[in-house]
Amino acid sequence: MMTLRSQPPWSDSPIDELAAFSDSPAPSVTRVLYTDKDVLGRRYVKTQMELAGLSVREDAVGNIFGRWDGVEPELAAVATGSHIDAIPYSGKYDGVIGVLGAIEAIRVPKRSGFKPRRSLEVILFTSEEPTRFGIGSLGSRLLAGSEDLANSLKTTTDIQNISFLDAARSAGYSKNEDDLSSVFLKKGTYSSFVELHIEQGPILEDEGISIGIVTAIAAPASLTVEFEGNGGHAGAVLMPNRNDAGLAASELALAVERHVLDSGSIDTVGTVGILELHPGAINSIPSKSHLEIDTRDIDEERRNKVVEKIHQSAIKITKTRGVKLSDFHVINQDPPALSDEAIIKAVETATKELNLTSKLMISRAYHDSLFMARLSPMGMIFIPCYKGYSHKPEEFATIQDMSNGVKVLTLTLAKLSSH
Amino acid sequence: MMTLRSQPPWSDSPIDELAAFSDSPAPSVTRVLYTDKDVLGRRYVKTQMELAGLSVREDAVGNIFGRWDGVEPELAAVATGSHIDAIPYSGKYDGVIGVLGAIEAIRVPKRSGFKPRRSLEVILFTSEEPTRFGIGSLGSRLLAGSEDLANSLKTTTDIQNISFLDAARSAGYSKNEDDLSSVFLKKGTYSSFVELHIEQGPILEDEGISIGIVTAIAAPASLTVEFEGNGGHAGAVLMPNRNDAGLAASELALAVERHVLDSGSIDTVGTVGILELHPGAINSIPSKSHLEIDTRDIDEERRNKVVEKIHQSAIKITKTRGVKLSDFHVINQDPPALSDEAIIKAVETATKELNLTSKLMISRAYHDSLFMARLSPMGMIFIPCYKGYSHKPEEFATIQDMSNGVKVLTLTLAKLSSH
C-alpha cells in the first residue's frame, strides 16, 4: 500500500481560479456548455492536467482525459472525474471538486514517487448539466455508447436555434465529423470508475460525518411540456372565453408537486425548474406555455408512476381549460445505478486508514457516474457541503472537507489501481 | 356640414407598410418603445402626416402631433389619435388604425376643400403598451399632467437596466432635459378628443354591427409580485425541505383567476401575463419568481377588492410555503373614464348619416383616451375585428370596417370642429 508522505496541498485557490470563468457575477457561477467561459474553463483544466504530468486527450464532444501510465499500461485503467459546467447562477464546487480534486489526488502520489500498476485517468465530462441542450450527462452518456443520443445530437438545437454540432465546432470540437459514435468507449476500457463530489444534501453536515460512500444513484426523468391556447387581450377577452396556457402550466406545476407527495416516499422528488409564458406581456393572455420537469426516485417504478400521473394531469388540464397539449416529451427516464461492492469496500478501507468517519448513503442527485456504471464498476465519494446547498451561489465546502475527500480518493485510486 | 365627396381611399397597404417595422416575423408585430423598429415606425408616421399637409411637432417623450390649422386657430383644437407600439408577437391593427386612420380622416376632407373652424390634431401617443417600462399609456398620462410619472421616469429602468431617459435619448427624444413636465398639456388645450380603435372583443362581429360607440373605459390595475425561496438542487433537496418560489407563483396565478371569478360579475377580468422563474434550469428549484398581473373592471371598487384579495393570497402563500414576498407593488390602479355626452351624440349622428349600424358599448381594454379624458371631453369609435382577437398575430379588421371607421371619424371631427 502507498503511504501518504505529505498532506495534499489542497486549497480553494484553484477552485476560485476556475470560478472566475463565469457569465454571472461572483459568488455565483454560470458556465454553460461550449460558451467562451466554458472553453476558458476547459483550457484551465487541461493546463492543470499538464502541470500534473498527465497526457491529455480530447474526444469529439470535448470529454477531456488526463492519463498517467501505470506499470502495466496494457491493463484497463482506473478512472475518476466529474464536470465543470455550471447551471446559471449556481456555485463553484458542484462537479469542480471531482475534476480538480482528481488531478490533485494523482499529483500528490506521483510527486511522492508512487507508481500505480494500472494506468490512472482523470476525466472532465462534457455537459453534465442539461442547461443548453436539455440533456444531462451528455458526455458520459455518449462514452457509455448511447446510439440514440449520438443520432439525436445531429439535429439538436439550443433555444437560440444554434445546433449542437455548430456549438461544438465553435468550441473547437467535432471538427470534421457529424458522427459522434467515435466518442463511445468499449466496455472494459476502465477496470473501475470513482467520482468525488459534494453531497448536495444536508446529511453529512447535519450528522458531522466526513465522508459519504454512495451505494446507489437515484433515477432521474426529465420531461418537457407545452400547452397552447388562444391568447388575446388581457382586458378585452372575458373570463369564460379564455383558454389560458399560463394557468394550464401553473396547474400542472402544482399537480407535479401533488403527485410527488402522493408517492408516499420521502425519496420521491419532483421540480418544475422552467416555466415560460408566451408572449410574456402583462396585458396579454398567455397563448403558449413551456415547462421543464425533473422527477427522481431511488425506486424506478415509483418514479415512472409519477411521470405517468403527470401525463394524465396534463391531458386532464387540456380538457378543463380547453388548451392543446402541443408537446409532452420524456427527454430521459434513466434507471438507477448501484455502486460496485469492491469499490465501496476500497473507499471504506481508505476512510478507516485515514481515521475519518463515513456513512453509506444514496445519491439523490445524478452524476456522470450513473452512466459510467454502464461501462465499468462504479463508486462515488461524497463530502459535506454547507446546509446541503447546491445549484446556487451559497454552495460551499470547507478546505478540511475537500482535503479529506481528496485523501480518500487518493488512497482509493491507489488500491483500485494495484489490483 | 361637410359632405364626403369621395370614398376614403383606405386600403390596408399603409398598415402593412407600418407592420414591416417589426422585431418578429410577419404576420406578428413586435414594436417596443424606443427600439430601432419603433423609431422607424415613428418616422413613417411623421412622413404620412407631412404628406397629408399637417405640421408636425414632437414632445420630450416622443408624443407626435400633426396639426391642421382651422379657420380660428386660436380656439382649442379637436384632437384624435392612438399609438403604434406593439407588444411582442402581437398584431398590426391595435392602435395603428387610430393613427393612420386619423391621418386619413383629415387628408380626405382637406383634399376636398373643407376647412374646419377649430384646428384638428392627430396625436401619436408614446408607449400605450407597458412592455418596456411597465407603464401603460405613458405618453397620454404625461400629457394629462402626471407629476408622479414625470418624477418616477427619472429613475425608471427596463429589464436590461437601461434607463428610461437613456432609451428616450437613443430614440432622439428628451435630449437636454431630465424634467419631463414640459410634456404636460394645459386643460383646455383640446375642446374634445376622439380615438378610433378596433374593438379587441367579439361583440360587434358577433352581432353584425359596424360601429361601437364607447360610453366608458374599464379601470385597469397592474401589479408586480416577487417571491423568494431558498432554491437548491432538484434532486438533492427533499420535498419537506423546500420553499419553492415557482410553486408560490403558480398558486398565486390560480388565485388571481379564482378571485376574479368570485367577483360575480362578467366585467371583472384578471390575467397573469408574465411569470418568470429564477434561475430557470430544469434541475434547479426556483429560488425567485416574478409575476406581472393585470386586472380590470368597469366598477372601480370591485376591481380594487380583487387587488386586495390578490395581496391577501400572496401573503397567505408566504406562510404556507415558507417563501418571502420580496415585492408586491401596485404599478397603477386607475379610475374608469366616462365618454362625453356631446361626443357620443356626434358619433351617433355621423353613424346615422352614413347609414351604418351602431351600438353603445364599454371598452374593456384601456386606451390613451382613458387619460386624455383628464384633459378634455373624450369619446371613442370602435370597429369590429376578427373573432375579437387582439394582442396576437391573428388580429384582423376588414378594409370595409376600417373604411367605415374612418368615415365616421371624419364626420365626427367635422362636427366637433365646427362648434
Side-chain angles (χ1 to χ4, degrees):
Chain A
M1 198 209 90
M2 184 198 84
T3 329
L4 284 176
R5 302 249 175 87
S6 65
Q7 287 280 93
W10 184 265
S11 80
D12 67 355
S13 97
I15 287 183
D16 287 333
E17 283 173 18
L18 185 51
F21 304 120
S22 167
D23 277 318
S24 61
S28 78
V29 178
T30 300
R31 194 161 48 233
V32 176
L33 180 64
Y34 298 149
T35 59
D36 291 351
K37 296 294 157 56
D38 182 46
V39 169
L40 290 170
R42 290 163 173 277
R43 195 177 298 163
Y44 177 85
V45 169
K46 285 185 275 183
T47 304
Q48 295 299 108
M49 285 177 167
E50 281 157 4
L51 289 172
L54 306 180
S55 52
V56 175
R57 169 177 90 78
E58 296 180 271
D59 68 18
V61 296
N63 289 310
I64 300 174
F65 304 82
R67 186 179 172 96
W68 178 20
D69 273 333
V71 179
E72 297 179 49
E74 67 286 359
L75 293 180
V78 173
T80 179
S82 193
H83 65 98
I84 64 159
D85 63 324
I87 69 166
Y89 300 94
S90 61
K92 55 188 176 186
Y93 300 88
D94 176 6
V96 167
I97 70 150
V99 176
L100 298 180
I103 295 171
E104 191 61 26
I106 287 188
R107 209 172 59 81
V108 173
K110 200 164 187 286
R111 209 178 42 182
S112 74
F114 174 79
K115 181 89 176 169
R117 178 165 166 253
R118 292 178 185 272
S119 304
L120 290 173
E121 282 196 14
V122 178
I123 309 179
L124 178 155
F125 295 102
T126 282
S127 192
E128 194 262 351
E129 304 292 359
T131 316
R132 184 161 182 184
F133 292 99
I135 306 145
S137 300
L138 191 150
S140 51
R141 275 178 206 270
L142 280 179
L143 291 177
S146 171
E147 298 270 7
D148 285 356
L149 180 55
N151 281 326
S152 69
L153 284 176
K154 290 177 192 167
T155 54
T156 296
T157 56
D158 68 9
I159 202 164
Q160 295 181 310
N161 225 22
I162 298 168
S163 76
F164 175 82
L165 289 170
D166 282 348
R169 278 164 197 149
S170 77
Y173 300 111
S174 196
K175 285 276 186 223
N176 303 304
E177 54 197 321
D178 285 358
D179 182 6
L180 298 175
S181 60
S182 66
V183 173
F184 300 169
L185 291 181
K186 281 202 193 70
K187 250 190 147 165
T189 303
Y190 299 120
S191 64
S192 47
F193 175 81
V194 194
E195 182 172 4
L196 173 64
H197 210 282
I198 56 169
E199 182 198 338
Q200 302 184 291
I203 299 170
L204 293 174
E205 188 187 58
D206 280 357
E207 302 185 5
I209 289 169
S210 295
I211 297 291
I213 304 169
V214 171
T215 55
I217 303 175
S222 311
L223 320 172
T224 58
V225 183
E226 290 192 9
F227 290 110
E228 244 180 271
N230 284 324
H233 189 290
V237 184
L238 298 183
M239 300 306 282
N241 302 326
R242 296 187 177 198
N243 44 16
D244 186 320
L247 294 177
S250 284
E251 265 190 20
L252 189 64
L254 293 168
V256 168
E257 184 190 41
R258 203 169 55 245
H259 297 321
V260 164
L261 294 175
D262 285 352
S263 94
S265 165
I266 189 76
D267 294 321
T268 319
V269 292
T271 308
V272 177
I274 294 175
L275 192 165
E276 290 166 350
L277 305 184
H278 178 92
I282 185 169
N283 53 358
S284 204
I285 301 163
S287 60
K288 286 184 208 164
S289 57
H290 170 88
L291 300 103
E292 298 190 18
I293 303 168
D294 176 299
T295 176
R296 310 177 190 207
D297 206 315
I298 52 170
D299 182 313
E300 189 174 7
E301 202 181 313
R302 198 165 55 203
R303 186 214 54 200
N304 290 353
K305 204 179 279 177
V306 170
V307 171
E308 181 47 32
K309 281 181 166 181
I310 294 171
H311 192 196
Q312 291 308 321
S313 285
I315 291 168
K316 203 170 144 197
I317 288 166
T318 63
K319 287 173 187 156
T320 54
R321 293 210 168 261
V323 292
K324 216 175 86 187
L325 185 61
S326 43
D327 184 37
F328 188 96
H329 181 60
V330 178
I331 304 173
N332 62 283
Q333 194 164 10
D334 300 302
L338 294 179
S339 297
D340 177 71
E341 284 301 327
I343 298 180
I344 292 175
K345 192 81 203 149
V347 180
E348 262 181 334
T349 310
T351 309
K352 274 181 202 146
E353 286 169 8
L354 291 161
N355 280 319
L356 296 170
T357 49
S358 73
K359 181 188 172 91
L360 295 176
M361 62 194 304
I362 284 156
S363 171
R364 299 187 186 280
Y366 69 82
H367 301 282
D368 292 303
S369 292
L370 183 65
F371 303 96
M372 291 305 283
R374 298 178 185 175
L375 272 182
S376 91
M378 173 277 293
M380 287 193 79
I381 301 165
F382 275 178
I383 60 165
C385 59
Y386 174 63
K387 287 193 181 180
Y389 287 166
S390 189
H391 281 195
K392 53 182 186 172
E394 294 82 358
E395 194 180 82
F396 177 72
T398 65
I399 294 178
Q400 183 59 52
D401 285 329
M402 291 191 284
S403 174
N404 288 340
V406 170
K407 284 186 210 166
V408 171
L409 179 62
T410 305
L411 277 186
T412 303
L413 293 175
K415 284 174 206 298
L416 294 172
S417 64
S418 69
H419 295 297
Chain B
M1 199 207 92
M2 183 198 83
T3 329
L4 283 176
R5 303 248 174 89
S6 64
Q7 287 280 91
W10 183 265
S11 79
D12 65 358
S13 95
I15 286 183
D16 287 333
E17 283 173 20
L18 185 51
F21 304 120
S22 166
D23 277 318
S24 61
S28 78
V29 179
T30 301
R31 195 163 47 234
V32 177
L33 179 65
Y34 299 148
T35 60
D36 290 353
K37 296 296 157 55
D38 181 48
V39 170
L40 290 169
R42 289 163 173 277
R43 196 175 299 165
Y44 178 86
V45 170
K46 285 185 276 183
T47 304
Q48 296 298 110
M49 285 177 168
E50 282 157 3
L51 289 172
L54 306 181
S55 51
V56 175
R57 169 176 90 79
E58 297 180 272
D59 68 17
V61 297
N63 290 310
I64 300 173
F65 305 81
R67 184 178 173 97
W68 179 20
D69 272 333
V71 178
E72 298 180 47
E74 66 287 359
L75 293 180
V78 173
T80 180
S82 194
H83 65 99
I84 64 159
D85 62 323
I87 68 167
Y89 300 96
S90 61
K92 56 188 175 185
Y93 301 88
D94 175 7
V96 166
I97 72 150
V99 176
L100 298 180
I103 296 170
E104 191 62 25
I106 286 188
R107 208 172 59 81
V108 172
K110 199 163 188 288
R111 208 177 44 183
S112 73
F114 173 80
K115 181 90 178 170
R117 180 167 165 253
R118 291 178 187 272
S119 303
L120 290 173
E121 282 196 14
V122 179
I123 309 178
L124 178 156
F125 295 102
T126 282
S127 192
E128 194 262 351
E129 304 292 0
T131 315
R132 184 160 182 185
F133 293 99
I135 305 146
S137 300
L138 191 149
S140 51
R141 275 179 206 270
L142 279 180
L143 290 177
S146 172
E147 298 270 8
D148 285 355
L149 180 55
N151 282 325
S152 70
L153 283 175
K154 290 177 191 168
T155 54
T156 297
T157 56
D158 69 8
I159 202 165
Q160 296 181 311
N161 225 24
I162 298 168
S163 76
F164 175 81
L165 289 170
D166 282 347
R169 278 165 197 148
S170 77
Y173 298 112
S174 195
K175 285 276 184 220
N176 302 306
E177 54 197 320
D178 285 357
D179 182 6
L180 299 174
S181 61
S182 66
V183 173
F184 300 169
L185 291 181
K186 282 201 191 70
K187 250 189 150 169
T189 303
Y190 300 120
S191 64
S192 46
F193 176 80
V194 195
E195 181 171 6
L196 173 64
H197 210 282
I198 56 170
E199 182 198 339
Q200 303 184 289
I203 298 170
L204 293 175
E205 189 188 59
D206 281 357
E207 302 184 7
I209 289 170
S210 295
I211 297 291
I213 305 169
V214 172
T215 56
I217 302 175
S222 311
L223 320 172
T224 58
V225 183
E226 290 192 9
F227 290 112
E228 245 179 271
N230 283 324
H233 188 290
V237 184
L238 299 183
M239 301 305 281
N241 303 327
R242 296 186 177 199
N243 44 14
D244 186 320
L247 294 176
S250 284
E251 264 191 18
L252 189 64
L254 293 167
V256 168
E257 185 190 40
R258 202 168 57 245
H259 297 322
V260 164
L261 295 175
D262 284 352
S263 96
S265 166
I266 189 78
D267 294 321
T268 320
V269 293
T271 309
V272 177
I274 293 175
L275 192 165
E276 290 165 351
L277 304 184
H278 177 91
I282 185 170
N283 52 359
S284 204
I285 301 163
S287 60
K288 286 183 207 164
S289 57
H290 170 89
L291 300 102
E292 298 190 17
I293 304 168
D294 176 298
T295 176
R296 309 177 191 208
D297 206 316
I298 53 169
D299 183 311
E300 189 174 5
E301 201 182 314
R302 198 165 53 204
R303 187 214 53 200
N304 290 352
K305 202 180 280 176
V306 169
V307 171
E308 181 47 32
K309 281 180 165 181
I310 294 171
H311 192 195
Q312 291 308 321
S313 286
I315 291 167
K316 203 170 144 197
I317 288 166
T318 62
K319 288 172 187 157
T320 54
R321 292 210 169 262
V323 292
K324 216 175 87 185
L325 185 61
S326 43
D327 184 38
F328 187 96
H329 181 60
V330 178
I331 304 173
N332 62 284
Q333 193 164 12
D334 300 303
L338 294 178
S339 296
D340 177 70
E341 283 301 327
I343 298 179
I344 293 175
K345 193 80 203 150
V347 179
E348 262 181 335
T349 311
T351 310
K352 275 181 200 145
E353 286 170 7
L354 291 160
N355 280 319
L356 296 170
T357 50
S358 73
K359 180 187 174 94
L360 295 175
M361 62 194 304
I362 283 157
S363 173
R364 300 187 185 280
Y366 68 84
H367 301 283
D368 291 304
S369 292
L370 182 65
F371 303 97
M372 291 305 282
R374 299 178 184 175
L375 271 183
S376 91
M378 172 278 292
M380 288 194 78
I381 300 165
F382 275 179
I383 60 165
C385 59
Y386 173 63
K387 288 192 179 179
Y389 287 166
S390 189
H391 281 194
K392 53 183 187 170
E394 295 82 358
E395 191 179 84
F396 177 72
T398 67
I399 292 178
Q400 184 60 54
D401 285 329
M402 290 191 284
S403 174
N404 289 339
V406 170
K407 284 186 211 167
V408 171
L409 179 62
T410 304
L411 278 185
T412 303
L413 293 176
K415 284 174 205 301
L416 295 172
S417 64
S418 68
H419 294 300

